[in-house]
Amino acid sequence: MDFVADALFDGRRLRALTIVDNYTRECLAIDVGASLKGEDVVTALTRIVAARGKPTTIKTDNGSEFISKAMDRWAYEYGVELDFSRPGKPTDNAKVESFNGRFRAECLNAHWFLSLADAQLKIEAWRQYYNEARPHSALAWSTPAEYARRTCLSAKVAVSKEPEISASDRY
């Protein structure tokens, strides 16, 4: 999780909360606003957990939104560990930093945003492209969505091949 800053065409500030799955490289959300607070992070995470289940750990920097009381309470209530990077060490969260570089180069620098609504539409379209159509070398040239489906399927097959233990096997 991280924030990326940009501006609308008229100079008004724009912030984007980027949430990336470190394993599948899927971009789970990009929430856009003029200013985003800890409560906005909690809202985004709650939405993601409802759709995908909760993670065990979330890697983030020490930004005020991530060390907020709202975020701390959410992590406690959901039983999620917050893994904070060392101050001034963006390489501690390299996957989201790499994603943010792609996001800036391929989306933010490629568009003029006329309003927050316009930015939300264009950024969501790019997020879908990134997940569904853009291959990644780190994923053997598959898209994050393909990789997630493949790993989920292989995990289900592995679980189904687990031998069953009957009560008579215990003695």
Side-chain angles (χ1 to χ4, degrees):
M1 248 184 345
D2 201 7
F3 282 97
V4 178
D6 203 40
L8 299 176
F9 83 102
D10 59 4
R12 286 182 291 155
R13 185 176 147 151
L14 168 89
R15 291 189 81 203
L17 168 65
T18 58
I19 303 175
V20 178
D21 182 317
N22 281 344
Y23 182 70
T24 67
R25 308 294 205 284
E26 286 178 288
C27 177
L28 304 178
I30 303 177
D31 284 15
V32 178
S35 68
L36 298 171
K37 299 179 174 70
E39 293 82 11
D40 300 310
V41 175
V42 166
T43 300
L45 289 173
T46 301
R47 187 179 65 243
I48 292 168
V49 167
R52 295 179 61 106
K54 72 178 180 94
T56 55
T57 304
I58 296 176
K59 184 76 174 165
T60 187
D61 62 23
N62 292 286
S64 60
E65 302 86 0
F66 303 134
I67 60 171
S68 68
K69 289 181 182 180
M71 187 68 190
D72 192 39
R73 179 180 176 179
W74 181 90
Y76 175 77
E77 288 175 353
Y78 281 84
V80 174
E81 177 189 358
L82 297 177
D83 183 12
F84 296 104
S85 60
R86 297 170 294 169
K89 301 289 183 183
T91 54
D92 285 353
N93 201 0
K95 289 178 182 161
V96 79
E97 294 295 339
S98 175
F99 171 83
N100 287 346
R102 302 272 186 266
F103 174 47
R104 177 161 305 285
E106 297 174 12
C107 182
L108 298 179
N109 291 348
H111 297 285
W112 269 40
F113 302 116
L114 304 176
S115 65
L116 280 176
D118 181 50
Q120 290 166 341
L121 287 172
K122 290 174 179 172
I123 289 170
E124 180 57 22
W126 180 84
R127 187 185 76 81
Q128 289 176 3
Y129 160 78
Y130 178 88
N131 285 337
E132 300 288 338
R134 186 185 182 282
H136 294 254
S137 60
L139 303 175
W141 296 105
S142 60
T143 68
E146 289 171 335
Y147 185 76
R149 284 189 292 272
R150 192 170 56 242
T151 57
C152 181
L153 181 60
S154 66
K156 287 179 183 177
V157 169
V159 168
S160 69
K161 290 183 179 179
E162 291 283 324
E164 292 186 24
I165 301 173
S166 67
S168 62
D169 292 339
R170 294 184 190 165
Y171 301 103

